[in-house]
Amino acid sequence: MLYLSICFILGETPDLLWKIGMREQRVHERIYFTSETEVVGTFHPVNAPENAFFARILNMSLGGLFASIRLDRDLKLKTNDLLVLNEIHSNSIINQTTNILLEVRWTHDQGMFDYLGCGCQFIEITDDGLQQIRKLLEWGGLMAGI
């Protein structure tokens, strides 16, 4: 578990599930973002839009994303919480408004770091939002040489 925490904090993108012997069960291909292709999302809890926060998106597919969230605030996320992904920014060409509803499927807090890993599934997504995610995934694949 410490290895997982270090990888998501550092933004490394090895196939972690393979490395720790877990079976891959994802339906959609996942694109991993590196520190060179840093992707950041602006999120807020559905019931508290005033509590918006930024999180580094480490990987994404057509089904969801995994983000690393800094725990320097009173943000308490748990499984089944609903979030809205408002915007996606990158240090490159991507800057999109999305407004996609997400459900937190799992969280990982090692306890010794200032970050929370958060796996989220897309719940409600418009055709426009889906098209934006597809473009981001294509861009991420190009940047990764896929």
Side-chain angles (χ1 to χ4, degrees):
M1 287 302 204
L2 179 60
Y3 177 76
L4 284 172
S5 297
I6 292 169
C7 284
F8 85 75
I9 288 169
L10 297 177
E12 295 301 318
T13 59
D15 187 352
L16 298 176
L17 297 177
W18 178 83
K19 284 189 184 277
I20 62 173
M22 295 174 69
R23 215 174 108 217
E24 178 68 61
Q25 296 182 9
R26 293 189 176 112
V27 175
H28 302 286
E29 180 181 0
R30 192 141 296 246
I31 298 294
Y32 294 87
F33 303 111
T34 65
S35 55
E36 287 116 28
T37 59
E38 185 173 33
V39 176
V40 176
T42 305
F43 300 80
H44 74 262
V46 166
N47 58 355
E50 68 280 1
N51 290 337
F53 60 93
F54 295 101
R56 182 160 179 219
I57 299 172
L58 300 180
N59 63 61
M60 181 182 284
S61 75
L62 290 175
L65 59 83
F66 178 76
S68 176
I69 304 164
R70 186 163 181 81
L71 293 175
D72 59 355
R73 49 186 316 202
D74 292 332
L75 182 65
K76 307 282 188 239
L77 291 179
K78 60 188 180 313
T79 303
N80 299 322
D81 282 353
L82 296 176
L83 301 173
V84 176
L85 172 59
N86 299 305
E87 295 179 325
I88 300 171
H89 305 276
S90 172
N91 58 4
S92 190
I93 60 170
I94 303 300
N95 186 3
Q96 302 178 350
T97 301
T98 57
N99 294 316
I100 297 170
L101 183 64
L102 305 167
E103 180 180 358
V104 175
R105 302 299 292 162
W106 61 276
T107 62
H108 176 72
D109 181 2
Q110 186 63 32
M112 62 178 61
F113 299 108
D114 294 332
Y115 292 87
L116 173 74
C118 187
C120 298
Q121 180 180 3
F122 298 139
I123 300 299
E124 287 181 16
I125 185 167
T126 64
D127 289 340
D128 184 52
L130 184 59
Q131 188 63 22
Q132 289 183 41
I133 295 300
R134 285 183 199 274
K135 286 181 185 176
L136 178 63
L137 293 172
E138 288 172 14
W139 171 81
L142 288 172
M143 296 301 287
I146 296 174

